[in-house]
Each structure stands twice: as C-alpha cells, then as structure tokens.
Amino acid sequence: MLRMSTLFLRTLREDPADAEVPSHRLLVRGGYIRRAAPGGFTWLPLGWIVYRKVEAIVREEMDRAGFQEVHFPAMLPREPYEATGRWTEYGPNLFRLKDRRDNDMLLAPTHEEMFTLLVKDLYSSYKDLPLSIYQIQTKYRDEARPRAGLLRGREFVMKDSYSFDIDADGLQASYDRHRDAYIATFDRLGIDYEIVSAMSGAMGGSASEEFLAPIEVGEDTFVRCTAGDYAANTEAVEVAAPEAQPTDGLPDAVVADTPDTPTIATLVDLLNGRDDLRREDRDWTAADTLKNVVMMLEHPDGTREPLAVGVPGDRDVDLKRVEAQLAPAVPSPFTEADFAAHPSLVKGYIGPEVLGEESASGIRFLVDPRIVDGTRWVTGANEPGRHVVGLVAGRDFTADGTIEAAEVHEGDPCPRCGSPMEIARGVEIGHIFQLGTKYAEALDLTVLDENGKTRTVTMGSYGIGVSRAVAVLAEANHDDDGLVWPRAVAPADVHVVVAGKKNGPQGPAAETLATELEAAGLEVLLDDRVGVSPGVKFNDAELLGVPTILVVGRGLDSGVVEVKDRRTGEREDVALDVVVDRLVEVCAAG
Amino acid sequence: MLRMSTLFLRTLREDPADAEVPSHRLLVRGGYIRRAAPGGFTWLPLGWIVYRKVEAIVREEMDRAGFQEVHFPAMLPREPYEATGRWTEYGPNLFRLKDRRDNDMLLAPTHEEMFTLLVKDLYSSYKDLPLSIYQIQTKYRDEARPRAGLLRGREFVMKDSYSFDIDADGLQASYDRHRDAYIATFDRLGIDYEIVSAMSGAMGGSASEEFLAPIEVGEDTFVRCTAGDYAANTEAVEVAAPEAQPTDGLPDAVVADTPDTPTIATLVDLLNGRDDLRREDRDWTAADTLKNVVMMLEHPDGTREPLAVGVPGDRDVDLKRVEAQLAPAVPSPFTEADFAAHPSLVKGYIGPEVLGEESASGIRFLVDPRIVDGTRWVTGANEPGRHVVGLVAGRDFTADGTIEAAEVHEGDPCPRCGSPMEIARGVEIGHIFQLGTKYAEALDLTVLDENGKTRTVTMGSYGIGVSRAVAVLAEANHDDDGLVWPRAVAPADVHVVVAGKKNGPQGPAAETLATELEAAGLEVLLDDRVGVSPGVKFNDAELLGVPTILVVGRGLDSGVVEVKDRRTGEREDVALDVVVDRLVEVCAAG
C-alpha cells in the first residue's frame, strides 16, 4: 500500500517555470518526475510505478509476439558506427566521448549496428532465420532543443527491436508482425494513434511507418485523407501528380517585362490583365508560377552543395521535407554570400535556364512532382524585373529529378482517392522501418541459403518510445485539475482519502477499507496524512489522477463513503459494507 | 516456454580467448552474455532472464524494507559533482563528455550528489525524515583494467540507496535497516558472503562495511579472525597496536657501521652477532627494524607531495592500503629523480631524523600503529652503510601521525581477541556507508528541527552490484561441465531434453510433458532441436545449468523418463504419469 504520509512526494501548486506543455507541467506538479539535467528527468516513486507499468505492457506484448529480449550497453565503440557511416551522419545529435585510453566511444541513439554484429556473431544459416530480438534500454540523443519534459529528452528509454530475414518476403512478414504487436501494445496502453507513412531519415532503408499520437503539442505534422484512404507524416506525403501531357502545339514561351510585381499575386494579376500574356484557356493562377528556391546542402563529410528546388508558386519550400528526403544532408537557406558566389542566379528571378547539372551554374535542380511534361509555367527570366510566361516542362526545360519539397496544405487532394486531406499534429510513439540490407551489407552479415550460397540478411528495425509514452498518456489524459490516468498504467486503482477530524473514526475506517481493497487485489494509495485539510487532499487526489477516488468522510456516521470517478467526476455514496465489492466491480470495468 | 529450436543462443565448445575466470568463460560459452565493448557486455536472452530474476529479488527486498524506488538519468551535469569535489577526485575513473553546447557532463559512477539535491528540492522538515530511497540503474566507471567479464565492467547495473536522517542515531538505524535488507537479499539470492569492515574511499564518510563473496578470483583481499571476532577488507584492517611504554631508562641509541647487510635478515644477523649491538633482553628480529619508505602522493588537483611511511621491517608497505587511507590522493613509488630532488634522503638508509614536517626534508612522516612510544628500533642512519640501533620512539623520534600501511600477514593477531587471522579473497557484492554530513554540507541539504532550527541532514549510501551478482552466482555455482544455477535465479526450473530418433515418440511426449509442467507453474526450457544428437543436447544442458534436467529418451518405451539433478548428478527414472508431480516436488524443495 502506498501511503501519502511516507511517500516521497511533494505536489506543487504552481506550474514549473520551464514547463511548456500540460503533460510536463502536471507530471512535475504531481510529483511524478523532476528535472535532473538538460533533457534528463528523474522518476519519483509514483512516476516510476507508472513507467514500470508501461514498460511491462510493452515487454509482454513483445514476448507474446515471440520476440526475444536482450540487453546491450549504451556506451559503445566507434568502429561499428564508423562502418555504417552513422558516426559522422548523426552529426551533433550523437553524444561522443573518449575513454582513458583515448578510444572514441558513443552513447547509442539506436543499436542497428550492434544487433547486426551480434547476429553475425551467433548465426550463419538460413535455418536460423527469421529472428526478431529486442531490448528496452536507455538511449541518448543530443537534441538541439530538448523540450516538453519527457516528450523530447536527451536521455530516454526506447524499446528497440530488430528483425532478420533471408529475403524481402520474410522482411515483410516480420514487419507485419511488429506492426501488429505495436497495435496491440498501444491499444492496451490506451494510447490513441494514427499509423502514417514516414520517411526513414538517418536510419536508411526503404519503407517505414510511424505511430503518431494525435496531440496538439506534438512536433510532428501529418496529413490524413478525410475519406480515410491515406495518412502520412508531412515529410513523407506524396503529391498527387497529374499525368504528363504532350507538348506539341503549345504556344511559345514569351519573355516579358513585369514591373511592380513584388508578390506572386501582383504578378498573376499583371499577366491576366495583359492581352499578350493572358492564358488562352483560363486565367493564370499562383499555382502556375514556378518558384525556384536555391539552398545550400551540407553533407555529413562537411562538403557543401548548392541545390535548386522548383515548386508551384502557391506554396513555399518546406525545408523539413527537403531535409527528410535528402538525409543525412542538411539544407539551409542560401545566403547573400552564396548568391555572390553564383552570379548567374538573379535573386527573385531565377528561371530553369540557369539551373540543372548541365546548365551554366551546374546547380542540381529538383522539382515538385506536379511539374510534369506538358505543364506551362510562369517563372523568372534570369533578369531583374522580367519573367518568362508559358515555359513548358519537357519542352523548354528539364529538371535533374523530382523532390517532395513543397509545403502541404490543408485540403490538398489525397494521392490515393483525391478527397481533401486534413492536417494534424502528433507525437511519434512508434516507428517501424524496413531497413533492407543497408546494415547487413556495411557489416557483412550473411548466411548460407539452402543451396549453400551466401546471402546478405534483410533487416527491419522497430522502436517504441517507452518513457515518452508516459508523457503521451499524460498529455492525452488530463483536465484542468490534473492527470486522469488510464487504469492500465495508473499508479494505483483507488485513492483513499481520509477526510475527517484528527482522531476521528475516518482514519481507522479508511485503514480497514484500504487493507480490504488490497486483499481484494486492488492497488491502493491511502492519503493518511494528519494535519492536512480535506481540501488539500482532494486537490492532490485530482492532481495525481488515480482513476477512482474513495472519500471516507462525514458520511461515515451514517455508514456511507463516497466513490468518485476521476475522469467523469461522477460521485456516488456507497454503503460501507458493499463498497469493496463495488470498487472491485468499478476497477474491473476499466 | 523457452525452446532451443528458436532460442537466440549458440553455445560454444571452446573457451573465449579473453575470458580469465570461470564465470566469464561459462557465461559466454553458455550464451548468456557477449562482449560488446571494453568492459561492456550484452545480455543474451537466457542471461537477461537470469539478470531480471536477480534484479527482481533485489527490488522486492528493498521494497519490503520500506525503501522507495526512484530512477535518475545516468548522464548528469558537472556542477553537483564539482560542488562535492568528486568531479576532480574521481580522476580518470570518471567518464566525462561535452554536449553540443560545450557543457561538461559525466556518466555517473554513483549518485550521492543527485539524491542529496532531490531531497533538498522536496523536503524541508525533520517530520519528513527518516527517508530511504533507491534506484536500480546503469553506472559507468572508466576502470583502468576492466576484467573478468561482469565482475569488473565499465558499464554495469547497481542498486544504490541513500538514507536521510536528522541525526547520528537515525543514521545508525537506517544503516542497520539496510544492513538487514542486504542480508535478506543475499540470502535469498543464495550468495555466500562475509560482512567486513571497509574503507570509505572516494565516498567519504565515517563507517562502512562491505559484503564480500568469498571467491578465489576476487580482487578484494580480506582477513577474518579464526575465532570469528573480526573481518575486514585488507585495506581497512586495524593493527593490534601494543600499549605505549615508558621511555625512561632505555639505553641510548648507537650508530654503527653495518657493512654487507643488503637485506634485513643479514642486518639482524650482524646485530645479534655483535656484543656492542646485541639487545639485552632478547635477540633483534626483523620486526624490530624500522623501514622508512618514501613515496609520492598525487592529489586530485594535480599537486604532488612526498610522504614517508615507517613500517616494521618484516613487512612491506602495501600501496593499496596507503591509497585507501589517503584517498583521493594516489601514491606512487619514489623515482630516482625524486631522490635527486631530496638530497637529505639516503636511499636504503633513511632514518627518522631527516623525516617529518619539522625536519630538514620537511617530508610528512607517518608510521605504523605498532611504532608506539617506548618501542626500540633499528633503522637507517642517513649515511650509506650505517644504521642506528636502539632508537626509541617517543624519545629519539616522533612521527607526524600513524597510518595503516603495512602489509597484512596470514596469522596476524585479531585486533579484537588476538586470535590468528586468515587471509581470503572475495568479490564486493554490496557496500554500506555511513556518509554523515559530507554531501549534505557540500550541497546545503538542511531541514528545520522541532525547535525550528536548521539542521544539516545526515546521510548513508548503500550499493549492491546487480549485474555483478550474476557473475558471482556463476562463479560460486559451476563445475567442470558448466553452470549450476541456484533455482531462485535459474533461467528455467526444468530443462527437458528430447533424446530420441527423428519422428520418434519422444518429441510429442516431451511437448506434452513440457506443457503440463508449465501448467503446474514450472518454467521450462525445452530442447526440441531436430538433427542435433543427444550427446550435444546433454552437453548443452550441463553447460546451461538449469537445476533439473528431464530426459525423454529410450526409457519412454517402458513408460519412464529420467530426472537428473544438475548439481549432484543424481539420476532417477520416474514413471511418466507421476513425473510432473515429482518435478513440482523437486522444484519446491529448492
């Protein structure tokens, strides 16, 4: 039994100054966690109980799926991460250190390399596969902006699994098993989620999906089709590209003076108002303009490469999308100095003529997938104050490739069904990757197949943010008064509040009830503090968020106690002699 | 049910090249652990099961004692450790790193500072005390020589507890509760141990005891009184010092040429053979010579200080004992250059006259506690080839203080009862410290007492090596064929071996039995591998060390299976229809 009189706990009336989001605020105020370092939190006793319940559910579901648990060190040598390139690719996000012998070590952000080497160490035959192994382990990432408490820390607990298969079909099967196990896990935890297509980022590999908890304070933005056909992280959204059209018979492009057109709207107005520039079939719109944005890519080895991205002018370039597509390279805006170094680029009037690897500038030129052959564009004429009108893709210019770089807008058509899509925010609670052979190749993980031939193993990697899940649960389950834990992870089933005078009958009665509740299999938090007013106790009970509150108060004289549902606020008076049965019933109902 | 056919496991026939001790060798060969980094090990599935059982027992005993579990980050900011001096004192044993903002961070070797700050953050009154809180958490120490597998790693799991009390009596009570909880824990784990007086080292504080598992490959040496009155880590042994005697009437010291006495034995022979130097009451012995050893102390701030230590000439100076007494300063032998810098020191003939803070050399001079006033010594005369004979402590020389620095010998008298002591080796599995106010003072942890006065909190700190305990259990429980786990921590209760021809009746019979055993509450490891010979399976069963082995083999035709006790090797044939009951009985017996 947990007793408030001895529990290592102090609730706070005031919000902590550094807490930006409700979960952080309430977990600190409720004495669940305390900040110990930038992006590092200490679990206090109640928080640790909740954490361990979450961890236990994750573990049970992994075990149930037949995955086997192992446990790696967090501090690892450089070499395996050097072999896959991630020692460099992770950039400043990786915590690096040296040991007393000057060896380079790292604090692992994820363990693909080590799992690959372990399987290489133990296994050698196709008969050993498939294999899925996992760990629940502390991870380190030197986030630029640790924030929101447990939602984005620098030291956190992940469940990371890895699958090993002989071929792509096997990988697909392992991936599906993990996907199912994740669904089971999050359902049991009572976490709402959306499964969205995602980018693989620094992980490499071919396909990946994220489990996003739709939470307003989330850092991830995703879109979902209002008809339910599609959901994707904004970074991974695929544009519904039109079909290419023949370029024959389209009018020639015209270069025109376009004075006083500081914005795309004024440019479009000017064009539609001039007979010589007006489009014959319909008015020009902002979506017909081609905006060419130059940026600088920094590669992990430190080299810098200019890149031009062309998008329809009704949208900006989304640098996060560019970054996701081109990882591990990192894009940044072109500076004045960069422009000075590329005199062929006329700022504000850059047209395709000066772009592309074959062009005068030699700058790689990637365009939005909507820019297909036969589409007609208004774009810069590479001279100040002039635009070219009716430039035809595939006839007048050809890009070096396409890129999903344009901003996604609410209402954009679903690439599957064309229905409008909506934009929402979420927190990543799980991520599943089909890695393919990237790590196995880099570290030479092969097995012999049934014909005695050497085959490179195909891998998947799968993560759940275990400590983050606690914050997500808090974020999704609170009201103005405090936390409202789902029963599966609550620090107790019943919070028993003694609300009577000192030395009154309420104290002993509550002790008896608490003992009976425990004997009936319920977990009890007993507020047995003496010299603390009922009001303070009630406030603490609301703040702590145990799902059922049992008040032993004045009603005791007439043989009743009060049962309150923390979530709904519903109260009922229950006779003392049936309250244990009633509470067993309430708790079993969830 | 664990199945060998799918278990992520490969047993090895050969000893790993880097394994120095049996536990390391067998844990690797049995597929329990694998090396992942210098001093860093990966737990494979079977090892992780054993580890988690050990951890669960530790946790249950801490909870039973009323200690509350919390959990801190491993990566911590420098400042708190700077405030207590340990940032520097830990020297090269501390893993230090910088984050992306160039802040100094460390990987905590132990958490006194953080627990102190946490309690300071939450508590303010004597009413809040006593408090004992703990964590089971990964620790980091950059050991100079990581060795012996899990016995001395650089990344390992500790259970560390901290107690907080208003006064020394409270501390003593908290210390005793932890001591009792440790006894209960190690008893349940089935680990043999000796509780020995210990030094506090870098922890600071007044009193401490170690729980040492008496294991031959242990790095700690301890002595125990053969009458059972005393046990102490060698570093902490107290010498049974004689009582001081009056110096009146003792003969004057004599300086003598002592040619050709390269050793203490030859010197003693010379003295006893010369009428003018012979001792009147008895012969001189090696124990009457005073050996003055100079060394260089390096302090954490980098400063170096010469130190002279005088010990009876029948013993050497034990640098580990010196180091333990003078921590955090680290002693090293005097070099030729050091001698050159101190010309008053005549190597091989150093006498007390040139030693001491008041002497010509100014070198601090500490002596063994046996060198009490009124004892008479033969020692160097500060000239080559000459000794002084009959120098009286307290009359002819006075040291700056005493130090426990002399080697401990088998048979030395117990400081309590005088019985001879014996020397043994062991591994530290627990350590309990009365810290006192060192950390509370450095970090200003105070509470108000019942009179409203500010009082500095008194602390204790208590550790159990959780991952190390697995190695200790393996070290204490093995034979030539493999591991022999105590049932409390074994990866399974029963190892069922299918020993029959492919497609024979043994396979299905074993499956049925295994299922029935599980239904009866036993944990089963089923060797259901096909195409593996019974001999290999038997060898693996011996190596893995599950306490009970059930062989489903040829006897099945006549309705019997074989139950084997892994530890004793005893076998019995048991009829199929009673074997489940028999095994439940066996497992319940332990």
Side-chain angles (χ1 to χ4, degrees):
Chain A
M1 189 185 311
L2 297 166
R3 289 173 177 277
M4 292 287 274
S5 61
T6 52
L7 193 60
F8 183 52
L9 172 76
R10 278 297 169 275
T11 56
L12 304 178
R13 284 177 190 220
E14 304 295 328
D15 288 337
D18 63 344
E20 304 151 359
V21 302
S23 60
H24 185 191
R25 206 166 67 224
L26 292 171
L27 287 171
V28 171
R29 282 189 48 207
Y32 286 86
I33 61 171
R34 269 284 199 289
R35 184 177 179 281
F41 286 84
T42 300
W43 298 95
L44 302 187
L46 285 188
W48 190 237
I49 291 172
V50 172
Y51 167 81
R52 298 217 332 126
K53 289 193 175 187
V54 171
E55 186 191 274
I57 288 173
V58 172
R59 175 174 285 121
E60 281 171 25
E61 292 302 325
M62 295 304 115
D63 291 344
R64 192 194 307 273
F67 312 149
Q68 299 181 51
E69 188 171 2
V70 299
H71 201 84
F72 277 80
M75 187 174 61
L76 298 172
R78 168 179 177 159
E79 290 71 22
Y81 288 77
E82 185 74 44
T84 59
R86 295 211 294 181
W87 173 264
T88 311
E89 280 173 25
Y90 264 112
N93 289 312
L94 188 66
F95 282 110
R96 298 174 182 82
L97 69 159
K98 282 183 182 289
D99 70 8
R100 66 196 293 155
R101 293 177 185 195
D102 215 38
N103 294 311
D104 280 319
M105 307 291 292
L106 60 88
L107 301 179
T110 171
H111 276 73
E112 278 73 10
E113 285 81 353
M114 301 308 292
F115 275 78
T116 306
L117 288 174
L118 181 64
V119 173
K120 180 179 172 178
D121 187 14
L122 264 68
Y123 277 0
S124 57
S125 161
Y126 75 99
K127 290 183 194 162
D128 299 327
L129 307 182
L131 171 72
S132 284
I133 46 184
Y134 77 97
Q135 62 177 348
I136 298 176
Q137 196 259 3
T138 304
K139 298 276 184 282
Y140 296 85
R141 288 188 200 163
D142 198 352
E143 296 284 350
R145 290 169 297 279
R147 65 179 282 277
L150 299 173
L151 282 178
R152 181 169 293 279
R154 302 203 299 178
E155 176 170 350
F156 53 93
V157 179
M158 258 183 68
K159 188 286 304 170
D160 46 328
S161 308
Y162 304 85
S163 67
F164 299 85
D165 284 279
I166 190 76
D167 57 22
D169 287 350
L171 170 57
Q172 186 64 49
S174 292
Y175 183 89
D176 291 344
R177 279 170 68 209
H178 280 89
R179 198 176 192 274
D180 289 345
Y182 276 35
I183 289 171
T185 304
F186 294 126
D187 285 351
R188 248 185 95 186
L189 286 171
I191 295 181
D192 192 20
Y193 58 87
E194 193 93 35
I195 304 177
V196 308
S197 301
M199 298 300 300
S200 299
M203 303 297 296
S206 48
S208 89
E209 288 172 292
E210 280 175 350
F211 287 71
L212 290 184
I215 283 174
E216 267 179 46
V217 300
E219 287 194 316
D220 284 294
T221 313
F222 67 101
V223 297
R224 53 187 163 200
C225 168
T226 49
D229 280 333
Y230 179 73
N233 192 304
T234 307
E235 294 164 12
V237 171
E238 299 156 24
V239 161
E243 274 189 44
Q245 301 294 327
T247 57
D248 317 339
L250 293 173
D252 285 347
V254 175
V255 175
D257 284 324
T258 50
D260 304 323
T261 54
T263 63
I264 285 180
T266 51
L267 172 64
V268 166
D269 282 350
L270 177 143
L271 300 179
N272 289 329
R274 274 183 48 184
D275 289 346
D276 56 330
L277 301 175
R278 190 182 296 147
R279 188 171 161 135
E280 62 286 355
D281 50 349
R282 58 169 172 80
D283 278 358
W284 295 107
T285 69
D288 296 315
T289 65
L290 171 62
K291 179 154 60 179
N292 297 307
V293 177
V294 280
M295 61 192 71
M296 191 59 80
L297 284 186
E298 178 150 348
H299 292 282
D301 63 4
T303 59
R304 290 157 56 85
E305 179 206 355
L307 175 75
V309 171
V311 294
D314 60 336
R315 296 164 194 268
D316 282 328
V317 167
D318 180 340
L319 275 192
K320 279 184 78 175
R321 297 194 75 203
V322 174
E323 185 165 351
Q325 308 293 329
L326 301 180
V330 178
S332 59
F334 229 52
T335 63
E336 291 300 330
D338 292 329
F339 276 108
H342 292 88
S344 60
L345 302 179
V346 181
K347 197 175 169 186
Y349 296 89
I350 302 172
E353 192 178 289
V354 301
L355 300 174
E357 288 169 350
E358 307 293 318
S359 75
S361 73
I363 294 176
R364 185 151 63 114
F365 179 41
L366 302 175
V367 296
D368 185 88
R370 279 167 284 229
I371 300 168
V372 295
D373 283 3
T375 49
R376 297 166 65 195
W377 301 92
V378 177
T379 188
N382 300 307
E383 293 176 76
R386 307 193 78 193
H387 282 89
V388 54
V389 181
L391 205 67
V392 175
R395 183 191 73 183
D396 302 330
F397 70 96
T398 308
D400 296 317
T402 62
I403 185 169
E404 289 282 3
E407 269 183 354
V408 179
H409 289 170
E410 181 94 20
D412 276 351
C414 167
R416 300 262 191 283
C417 72
S419 304
M421 299 196 295
E422 60 185 11
I423 296 184
R425 297 187 72 83
V427 172
E428 181 188 316
I429 49 171
H431 203 156
I432 53 180
F433 295 91
Q434 297 193 15
L435 294 176
T437 55
K438 170 178 166 164
Y439 294 89
E441 267 169 23
L443 297 162
D444 196 25
L445 169 59
T446 61
V447 292
L448 295 181
D449 69 12
E450 58 264 65
N451 303 315
K453 282 194 183 154
T454 297
R455 295 270 290 268
T456 301
V457 170
T458 297
M459 292 171 54
S461 117
Y462 315 90
I464 289 178
V466 183
S467 46
R468 175 183 283 180
V470 175
V472 166
L473 282 161
E475 198 65 44
N477 297 280
H478 70 269
D479 59 23
D480 289 346
D481 297 325
L483 295 159
V484 191
W485 292 111
R487 199 170 292 280
V489 302
D493 287 306
V494 183
H495 187 144
V496 180
V497 177
V498 181
K501 288 191 181 144
K502 197 175 164 179
N503 300 326
Q506 285 81 7
E511 289 279 349
T512 305
L513 275 177
T515 306
E516 289 173 3
L517 290 170
E518 279 212 325
L522 303 186
E523 293 169 345
V524 177
L525 169 59
L526 173 62
D527 194 345
D528 58 346
R529 288 176 293 177
V530 173
V532 174
S533 76
V536 167
K537 289 183 178 179
F538 294 147
N539 285 344
D540 278 346
E542 301 288 317
L543 177 58
L544 294 179
V546 170
T548 305
I549 300 169
L550 174 66
V551 182
V552 183
R554 260 183 276 169
L556 190 67
D557 297 340
S558 41
V560 295
V561 290
E562 183 185 279
V563 174
K564 179 175 175 185
D565 183 282
R566 171 65 186 90
R567 189 175 293 272
T568 64
E570 281 167 26
R571 302 153 185 272
E572 58 172 327
D573 279 345
V574 179
L576 205 53
D577 55 349
V578 299
V579 72
V580 173
D581 290 345
R582 176 76 191 115
L583 285 171
V584 168
E585 202 177 285
V586 163
C587 294
Chain B
M1 188 185 311
L2 297 166
R3 291 174 177 275
M4 292 286 275
S5 60
T6 52
L7 194 60
F8 183 51
L9 172 75
R10 279 295 171 275
T11 56
L12 304 178
R13 286 179 188 219
E14 304 295 327
D15 288 339
D18 63 343
E20 303 152 358
V21 302
S23 60
H24 185 191
R25 207 166 64 223
L26 292 172
L27 288 170
V28 171
R29 282 188 48 206
Y32 285 86
I33 60 170
R34 269 286 199 286
R35 184 177 179 281
F41 287 82
T42 301
W43 299 94
L44 301 188
L46 285 187
W48 191 237
I49 291 171
V50 173
Y51 167 81
R52 298 214 338 123
K53 289 193 176 188
V54 171
E55 186 192 274
I57 288 172
V58 172
R59 174 174 286 122
E60 280 171 26
E61 292 302 325
M62 296 304 115
D63 290 345
R64 191 193 308 272
F67 311 149
Q68 299 180 51
E69 188 172 1
V70 299
H71 200 86
F72 277 79
M75 187 175 61
L76 298 171
R78 167 178 178 159
E79 291 71 22
Y81 288 77
E82 185 75 43
T84 59
R86 294 211 295 180
W87 173 264
T88 311
E89 280 174 24
Y90 263 113
N93 290 311
L94 189 66
F95 282 109
R96 299 174 181 84
L97 68 160
K98 282 183 182 288
D99 71 7
R100 64 195 295 155
R101 292 176 187 197
D102 215 38
N103 294 312
D104 279 320
M105 309 290 292
L106 59 88
L107 300 180
T110 170
H111 276 74
E112 278 73 10
E113 286 81 353
M114 301 307 294
F115 275 79
T116 306
L117 289 174
L118 181 64
V119 173
K120 180 179 174 181
D121 186 15
L122 265 68
Y123 277 0
S124 58
S125 161
Y126 74 99
K127 291 182 194 161
D128 298 326
L129 306 182
L131 171 72
S132 285
I133 45 183
Y134 78 97
Q135 63 177 347
I136 299 176
Q137 196 258 3
T138 304
K139 298 276 184 282
Y140 295 85
R141 288 188 200 164
D142 198 353
E143 296 286 350
R145 289 170 297 280
R147 64 178 283 278
L150 300 172
L151 283 177
R152 181 169 293 278
R154 302 203 298 178
E155 175 169 350
F156 52 93
V157 178
M158 259 183 66
K159 187 289 301 171
D160 46 329
S161 308
Y162 305 85
S163 68
F164 300 85
D165 284 279
I166 189 75
D167 57 22
D169 286 351
L171 170 57
Q172 186 64 50
S174 292
Y175 183 88
D176 292 343
R177 280 170 67 210
H178 280 89
R179 199 175 190 274
D180 290 344
Y182 277 35
I183 289 171
T185 304
F186 294 126
D187 286 349
R188 248 185 95 186
L189 286 171
I191 295 181
D192 192 21
Y193 58 87
E194 194 93 35
I195 305 177
V196 308
S197 300
M199 299 299 299
S200 299
M203 303 298 296
S206 49
S208 87
E209 288 171 294
E210 280 174 350
F211 287 71
L212 289 183
I215 282 173
E216 266 180 48
V217 301
E219 285 193 317
D220 284 295
T221 312
F222 69 100
V223 298
R224 53 187 163 202
C225 168
T226 49
D229 280 333
Y230 179 73
N233 191 304
T234 307
E235 295 164 11
V237 171
E238 300 157 25
V239 161
E243 273 189 43
Q245 301 295 327
T247 56
D248 317 340
L250 293 173
D252 285 347
V254 175
V255 175
D257 284 323
T258 51
D260 305 323
T261 54
T263 64
I264 286 180
T266 52
L267 172 64
V268 168
D269 283 350
L270 179 143
L271 301 180
N272 289 330
R274 275 183 47 184
D275 290 345
D276 56 331
L277 302 176
R278 190 181 296 148
R279 189 172 160 136
E280 61 287 354
D281 51 349
R282 57 170 172 79
D283 277 358
W284 294 109
T285 69
D288 297 314
T289 64
L290 171 61
K291 179 154 59 180
N292 298 308
V293 178
V294 280
M295 60 193 73
M296 191 59 79
L297 284 186
E298 177 151 350
H299 292 282
D301 63 4
T303 60
R304 290 156 57 85
E305 179 206 354
L307 175 76
V309 172
V311 296
D314 61 336
R315 296 165 194 268
D316 282 327
V317 168
D318 180 339
L319 276 191
K320 280 185 77 174
R321 297 194 75 201
V322 175
E323 185 165 353
Q325 308 293 328
L326 302 180
V330 177
S332 59
F334 230 53
T335 63
E336 291 301 328
D338 291 330
F339 275 108
H342 292 88
S344 60
L345 303 179
V346 181
K347 197 176 171 186
Y349 296 90
I350 303 172
E353 192 178 289
V354 300
L355 300 175
E357 289 169 350
E358 308 292 318
S359 75
S361 73
I363 294 177
R364 183 152 64 115
F365 180 41
L366 303 175
V367 297
D368 184 89
R370 279 166 284 229
I371 300 167
V372 295
D373 283 3
T375 50
R376 297 166 65 196
W377 301 92
V378 179
T379 187
N382 301 307
E383 293 175 77
R386 306 194 79 193
H387 282 90
V388 54
V389 181
L391 205 68
V392 174
R395 182 191 74 184
D396 302 329
F397 71 96
T398 309
D400 297 316
T402 61
I403 185 169
E404 289 283 2
E407 271 184 351
V408 179
H409 290 172
E410 181 91 21
D412 277 351
C414 168
R416 301 262 191 283
C417 73
S419 303
M421 299 196 294
E422 60 185 10
I423 296 184
R425 298 187 72 82
V427 172
E428 182 189 315
I429 49 170
H431 203 156
I432 53 180
F433 296 92
Q434 296 193 17
L435 294 176
T437 56
K438 169 177 167 167
Y439 294 90
E441 269 169 20
L443 297 163
D444 196 27
L445 169 59
T446 61
V447 293
L448 295 180
D449 70 10
E450 58 264 65
N451 303 315
K453 283 197 182 153
T454 297
R455 294 271 289 270
T456 301
V457 171
T458 297
M459 291 170 54
S461 115
Y462 316 90
I464 288 178
V466 183
S467 46
R468 176 182 284 182
V470 175
V472 166
L473 282 162
E475 198 64 44
N477 297 280
H478 71 269
D479 59 22
D480 289 345
D481 297 325
L483 296 159
V484 190
W485 294 110
R487 198 170 293 279
V489 302
D493 288 306
V494 184
H495 187 143
V496 180
V497 177
V498 181
K501 287 189 183 145
K502 196 176 167 181
N503 299 325
Q506 285 82 6
E511 289 279 348
T512 305
L513 276 178
T515 306
E516 289 172 3
L517 290 169
E518 280 212 324
L522 303 187
E523 292 169 345
V524 177
L525 169 59
L526 172 63
D527 193 346
D528 58 346
R529 289 176 292 177
V530 173
V532 174
S533 76
V536 168
K537 289 183 177 180
F538 293 146
N539 284 345
D540 279 347
E542 300 289 316
L543 177 59
L544 294 180
V546 169
T548 305
I549 300 169
L550 173 65
V551 182
V552 184
R554 259 181 277 169
L556 190 68
D557 297 340
S558 40
V560 296
V561 289
E562 183 185 279
V563 173
K564 179 176 176 186
D565 183 281
R566 170 67 185 90
R567 190 175 294 272
T568 65
E570 280 167 26
R571 302 154 187 268
E572 57 172 327
D573 279 344
V574 181
L576 205 54
D577 56 349
V578 298
V579 71
V580 172
D581 290 344
R582 177 75 190 117
L583 286 172
V584 167
E585 203 177 284
V586 164
C587 294

